[in-house]
Amino acid sequence: TSLLSSAIGNLPPPPTLMPRSKATWVGMSQSCQQPPSPAPASGVYALLTDGTTVLIRPAGPADEAAVRLMHEQMSPDNIYFRFFNVSKLSAVREAKRVTRPASRDHGALLAWLGDRLVGLASYEPADEPGVAEIAFAVTDDMHGRGVATLLLDHLISEGRLRGLRAFSAQTLASNAAMLRVFAGAGLAAKRRVSHGVIDLTFPLPIDEASEALRDYLDTVSLRERQADIASLRYLLEPRSVAVIGASRNPAGVGHAILRNIVTAGFRGQIFVINPRAGTIEGLPCLPSISEVPQPPDVVVIAVPAAGVVEVARECGLAGARALVIVTAGIDVATGSELLATCRQHGMRLVGPNCFGIAVPRLGLSATFAGATPPAGKAGLIVQSGGIGIAVLEHLSRLGIGVSSFASVGDKFDVSSNDLLMWWEQDQVTRLGILYVESFGSPRKFASTARRVGRQFPVLTVIGGRSPAGRQAAASHTTPPPDATATTALITQEALFGQAGVIAATSLGELVDTAALLAAQPLPRGNRVGIVTNAGGAGVLAADACGEHGLRVATLSGPVIDRLTELLPGGAVVAGPVDATPVVDGDSFRSCLEIVAGDDEVDTVMAVTVRTALGDLAPQVTVAGLAKPLVAVMLDQQESVRLLHGAEHQVPAYLYPESAARALGHAVRYANWLASSPGVIPELDGIDAGRARAIVADFLAGQRLGGWLPAGLVAGLLGCYGIRQSDQAGQAGIEVRVAVMNEPVFGPVVVFGASGPVSSVLEDKIARLTPLTDTDAAEMISGLQAAPLLLGQRGGSAVRTEAITGLLLRVSRLADDLAEIAELDLHPVIASASGAAVTAARIRLTPVEPADPFLRRLR
């Protein structure tokens, strides 16, 4: 249901309008009671500044009494700022205006806190075409909590989707609070003052490539994460925890969770809810959550599935702020009711079907894991409980420790987006680790992970890479009520690649990489100086480096001379350095230091095997190198461990392949940090209006959509400066540019090799729209066929800037027109003269426009 109309024309004013709607807000305090809200036919939940949950939904005739009562209970000052007078008739007239049926020339949004109406925003057509006049009202006791700002964000979002070009508002010059709302909106406002009244006009950013839109979305993102963090404090910095479902049976899940909370030394209050027990784990039991002396911050629930919704409702009535539900087997209908209950009572939800949360530095271990992880610097969120337990054990064994952990299971509410935002500000987390199988808001995830990744590394394992894996991922958890199927591999790779997330393909690879990033600084480049006491192991290490984008360093002449003097006869010193099996510990340590001092070396890899002459491991740990150091110890028991030196830790791997793979991830992450994020460039020759008309005309005759005729394809591409050519069959390298539009992820641009090259290689790379110039360049350089395009294999280099331009124009086309379900430009002939599109297909489907960056809870 549209929350705004498409009031683009200069429409006549509807009847019963108040004289010129005014923007209002003033800080007063007055409690009031509202009639119950009718069951919402549509709407979304979102967070206020302080983390409180409110429902935003359209107003309708059934809301007239609630709107009138809200205005009648407003203070005289509030009424004056709203209507510029204190007439008692204002409430009646405003209620009728706001709640009349929505139409092309009118719309209104209501903000509900539980069953209380606490705010509204409305719009009416202004005097100029494409401009709507907006007005706000907020109850006195809710001022300063972000109600008006949240409503404004929703109005702006819908206005952009519907093609409005500006909003206007009037407010008294003395209404400082409302002026602060407008000033902080993130949009440039034009102001005009006359007789104590300020007229404001806010141009809405329509162009996806505009700097104004990026600035506005950055402002919205900041507001959203401030509100999100406020709501998560009850979950991740709780002062009290209640457990419902802990029986006297020590083998029960609820009992195990309670035991872990007690033995971990939680510093807050612990409440045990069990009507049939006196004490459990030395704590007195209460008969129900309503008997808790104060509202608990977190309630852990481990009861049968049939009772979960009722227990959650009781928790909400008791004032609980967050739930952790470990219960499994909740069906879709029950899940929808559970989530609705949590939203209505403003409770954040972890789970269901999870194994708990942990914040070791607070002594909180509300899980049924076998051991409490030590406090440390790695944040961890997983959907799979088994993987979570395994990673926790590895982080504990390695000594990395955990800052905070959440097993989110079916992930109805709290997700990786939430934990990333929390870790970003907690001043503890220095490494983020994710294992997720589905995405509720991937574009928010991409922007959040990209921002967090500039602060510390974020790692993940890509699950569901095979058809069998995707089927397993889809079946072992119950999806949230609004979730879609699992995501294609190429789309996950696109998401992680753009966001700078280090994506491993196995759990072992993730642990190996985490050990390196937790212990060593990032390398400056990909040149590896290998030092070994076993020549064959040096060969394997060199091969492994080449397979993972690393280069064995060629040592400089002075370094070679020093190594020749230092090492025994028979040593190989050009690199890899074979120090021979008879090298003594002091010489081996000196060798590492000399190699590290070479300007041609970015990282040192020490590869050792224990001999009858001694163990070189201690020499590796005492070597004080100014560059990253990794060790490979072919005789150790663990696949990876951290060797503890006096001032540093060294990751030691069992195999050189593991070390090289982890180091390759570190190098690529360092390169990503050093690279420019790029910009979405302004493009000339764009006629988005004509393109939308072509799409609308086609879908008017083909209501279910379909493939565009060739003439319309050419016309639509031409609106974005993409011309078709007749160069098929001529000289050049064949490539392919495509778009696939996924239900959750939105448009994804795919670029790949074609023709003879593609018959040998599955060579393609994808990125989510909108592409930056850096994204487009990386799509070209990231192909396995990139050396062919760059002329590095004996051929002529193609004009890559032409391919870059084509990718950017296709991205803009897909971003502007959500109706594009598929687009395929194939073949595209890339040559020294440009990129010629020789054939094209486009399929359209009708869609309802959506804003992926709207402030809302899933």
Side-chain angles (χ1 to χ4, degrees):
T1 303
S2 173
L3 306 185
L4 286 178
S5 76
S6 53
I8 300 176
N10 186 14
L11 301 174
T16 69
L17 279 179
M18 294 294 297
R20 204 53 144 174
S21 55
K22 308 295 192 296
T24 181
W25 205 34
V26 64
M28 298 286 291
S29 177
Q30 175 179 320
S31 61
C32 59
Q33 297 295 321
Q34 299 286 350
S37 165
S42 62
V44 297
Y45 286 95
L47 295 172
L48 299 179
T49 304
D50 60 0
T52 302
T53 303
V54 294
L55 171 68
I56 306 295
R57 67 167 178 81
D63 299 304
E64 182 177 346
V67 173
R68 183 179 67 250
L69 182 59
M70 185 190 85
H71 284 87
E72 288 174 346
Q73 295 182 327
M74 288 164 60
S75 66
D77 283 347
N78 205 352
I79 290 291
Y80 180 74
F81 277 120
R82 170 63 187 88
F83 300 110
F84 300 4
N85 64 58
V86 291
S87 169
K88 294 183 178 180
L89 296 176
S90 298
V92 175
R93 298 169 63 192
E94 181 72 346
K96 289 184 179 295
R97 180 188 75 84
V98 169
T99 62
R100 74 185 193 276
S103 62
R104 289 187 66 248
D105 59 356
H106 157 74
L109 298 177
L110 304 179
W112 293 88
L113 177 60
D115 61 0
R116 285 186 57 215
L117 178 61
V118 296
L120 67 84
S122 63
Y123 79 96
E124 307 289 352
D127 294 335
E128 299 178 53
V131 179
E133 189 170 10
I134 56 177
F136 299 85
V138 177
T139 59
D140 295 69
D141 65 318
M142 292 297 292
H143 294 162
R145 298 173 67 177
V147 177
T149 301
L150 178 61
L151 287 167
L152 178 57
D153 283 343
H154 279 250
L155 286 179
I156 291 171
S157 173
E158 197 69 21
R160 291 186 61 245
L161 290 175
R162 300 305 176 191
L164 294 176
R165 62 180 181 84
F167 281 151
S168 65
Q170 286 186 329
T171 189
L172 292 173
S174 56
N175 193 348
M178 196 68 227
L179 290 172
R180 283 195 297 270
V181 170
F182 290 137
L187 296 176
K190 299 176 181 177
R191 298 163 55 106
R192 184 170 58 85
V193 182
S194 176
H195 304 293
V197 176
I198 299 178
D199 288 283
L200 302 104
T201 302
F202 309 90
L204 300 183
I206 302 299
D207 188 346
E208 295 295 331
S210 71
E211 185 175 350
L213 177 58
R214 293 195 292 273
D215 290 344
Y216 171 68
L217 292 179
D218 286 344
T219 303
V220 172
S221 176
L222 177 60
R223 283 197 285 266
E224 184 169 43
R225 67 180 183 265
Q226 289 173 336
D228 198 74
I229 289 165
S231 75
L232 293 173
R233 291 199 184 280
Y234 300 98
L235 178 71
L236 297 173
E237 288 183 351
R239 297 161 298 179
S240 59
V241 176
V243 180
I244 301 178
S247 69
R248 286 170 289 196
N249 179 8
V253 169
H255 191 117
I257 293 172
L258 177 61
R259 182 171 59 247
N260 279 348
I261 294 173
V262 172
T263 57
F266 177 59
R267 299 167 192 161
Q269 292 183 288
I270 306 172
F271 304 108
V272 186
I273 312 302
N274 188 323
R276 292 182 293 277
T279 62
I280 301 177
E281 289 292 323
L283 295 174
C285 296
L286 298 171
S288 73
I289 191 69
S290 63
E291 299 296 320
V292 173
Q294 64 189 51
D297 286 345
V298 178
V299 181
V300 182
I301 298 175
V303 302
V308 164
V309 173
E310 182 57 32
V311 170
R313 186 175 294 114
E314 293 173 355
C315 292
L317 293 172
R321 301 304 300 264
L323 303 183
V324 177
I325 299 181
V326 301
T327 306
I330 294 176
D331 59 32
V332 173
T334 304
S336 296
E337 190 176 1
L338 171 62
L339 184 58
T341 299
C342 291
R343 293 288 181 252
Q344 289 162 7
H345 292 282
M347 299 181 293
R348 298 305 305 264
L349 170 62
V350 174
N353 188 22
C354 71
F355 83 94
I357 63 170
V359 188
R361 72 181 185 277
L362 302 181
L364 178 63
S365 183
T367 78
F368 55 91
T372 299
K377 56 187 174 183
L380 175 62
I381 179 170
V382 296
Q383 277 190 264
S384 165
I387 288 180
I389 292 173
V391 175
L392 283 175
E393 290 179 349
H394 283 296
L395 294 174
S396 300
R397 176 181 62 81
L398 291 168
I400 297 172
V402 173
S403 59
S404 55
F405 161 75
S407 161
V408 292
D410 293 340
K411 206 175 64 166
F412 279 21
D413 176 23
V414 173
S415 67
S416 52
N417 287 8
D418 298 293
L419 269 293
L420 282 170
M421 287 188 280
W422 179 262
W423 297 333
E424 182 182 15
Q425 59 79 50
D426 69 4
Q427 303 298 312
V428 178
T429 305
R430 305 310 307 159
L431 190 68
I433 300 177
L434 322 171
Y435 177 76
V436 292
E437 295 165 354
S438 62
F439 297 88
S441 183
R443 290 177 182 264
K444 286 185 180 178
F445 171 87
S447 61
T448 301
R450 186 183 299 117
R451 188 182 66 248
V452 175
R454 298 282 171 184
Q455 186 170 315
F456 54 77
V458 178
L459 298 88
T460 191
V461 177
I462 298 182
R465 297 188 309 279
S466 66
R470 288 191 290 274
Q471 182 177 356
S475 64
H476 94 271
T477 58
T478 300
D482 61 349
T484 59
T486 54
T487 306
L489 175 60
I490 192 171
T491 309
Q492 292 189 63
E493 291 173 338
L495 175 67
F496 296 139
Q498 276 172 288
V501 174
I502 299 169
T505 58
S506 69
L507 188 58
E509 182 180 342
L510 179 134
V511 173
D512 290 343
T513 308
L516 172 60
L517 294 172
Q520 291 286 306
L522 291 173
R524 295 179 302 175
N526 70 341
R527 301 168 300 177
V528 182
I530 300 172
V531 181
T532 181
N533 68 337
V539 173
L540 294 178
D543 289 341
C545 287
E547 291 168 356
H548 293 284
L550 307 173
R551 183 162 62 87
V552 177
T554 301
L555 302 179
S556 63
V559 167
I560 290 175
D561 292 341
R562 292 181 63 190
L563 293 175
T564 301
E565 295 176 2
L566 172 69
L567 295 175
V572 177
V573 295
V577 176
D578 178 4
T580 78
V582 299
V583 67
D584 63 80
D586 290 341
S587 296
F588 191 79
R589 181 179 70 249
S590 297
C591 185
L592 295 176
E593 294 168 348
I594 292 169
V595 170
D598 196 327
D599 291 339
E600 299 300 315
V601 172
D602 299 310
T603 300
V604 178
M605 181 186 292
V607 185
T608 70
V609 62
R610 190 195 310 261
T611 70
L613 301 178
D615 182 7
L616 297 177
Q619 308 305 320
V620 173
T621 59
V622 299
L625 307 186
K627 294 178 181 176
L629 171 64
V630 298
V632 177
M633 297 184 172
L634 302 174
D635 52 355
Q636 70 182 21
Q637 298 296 314
E638 300 93 346
S639 59
V640 62
R641 59 182 175 135
L642 288 182
L643 305 176
H644 295 270
E647 298 180 356
H648 59 277
Q649 296 174 316
V650 177
Y653 301 90
L654 177 57
Y655 302 113
E657 295 80 8
S658 300
R661 188 171 53 198
L663 189 55
H665 280 304
V667 168
R668 287 187 291 275
Y669 174 65
N671 289 340
W672 178 82
L673 280 178
S675 66
S676 166
V679 297
I680 302 170
E682 301 281 352
L683 301 173
D684 57 11
I686 303 293
D687 190 347
R690 180 168 168 261
R692 292 189 179 97
I694 292 174
V695 169
D697 288 346
F698 176 78
L699 291 176
Q702 301 280 341
R703 300 187 64 182
L704 298 180
W707 292 97
L708 278 178
L712 292 182
V713 169
L716 192 58
L717 293 176
C719 292
Y720 287 82
I722 303 170
R723 310 297 178 190
Q724 289 187 247
S725 169
D726 59 358
Q727 292 186 18
Q730 298 187 13
I733 299 173
E734 291 188 12
V735 295
R736 189 173 205 153
V737 178
V739 170
M740 55 183 185
N741 204 328
E742 294 204 350
V744 174
F745 281 71
V748 179
V749 178
V750 183
F751 176 63
S754 184
V757 175
S758 66
S759 64
V760 179
L761 304 172
E762 178 65 18
D763 194 10
K764 58 187 177 183
I765 190 167
R767 289 291 184 265
L768 277 63
T769 64
L771 298 183
T772 66
D773 51 0
T774 299
D775 290 330
E778 289 178 349
M779 292 178 77
I780 299 171
S781 63
L783 289 183
Q784 296 178 60
L788 289 176
L789 298 173
L790 300 175
Q792 296 173 359
R793 294 181 180 171
S796 299
V798 307
R799 193 156 69 89
T800 55
E801 61 269 26
I803 305 177
T804 299
L806 177 61
L807 290 169
L808 292 170
R809 289 181 181 277
V810 167
S811 168
R812 175 69 185 277
L813 169 64
D815 232 23
D816 283 353
L817 305 174
E819 296 86 352
I820 295 180
E822 294 179 66
L823 178 149
D824 191 13
L825 307 183
H826 176 250
V828 176
I829 308 300
S831 65
S833 60
V837 177
T838 63
R841 299 195 310 155
I842 297 176
R843 182 170 67 87
L844 302 181
T845 57
V847 296
E848 181 67 25
D851 181 357
F853 298 101
L854 181 66
R855 285 179 61 191
R856 57 169 294 179
L857 291 166
R858 59 180 298 175

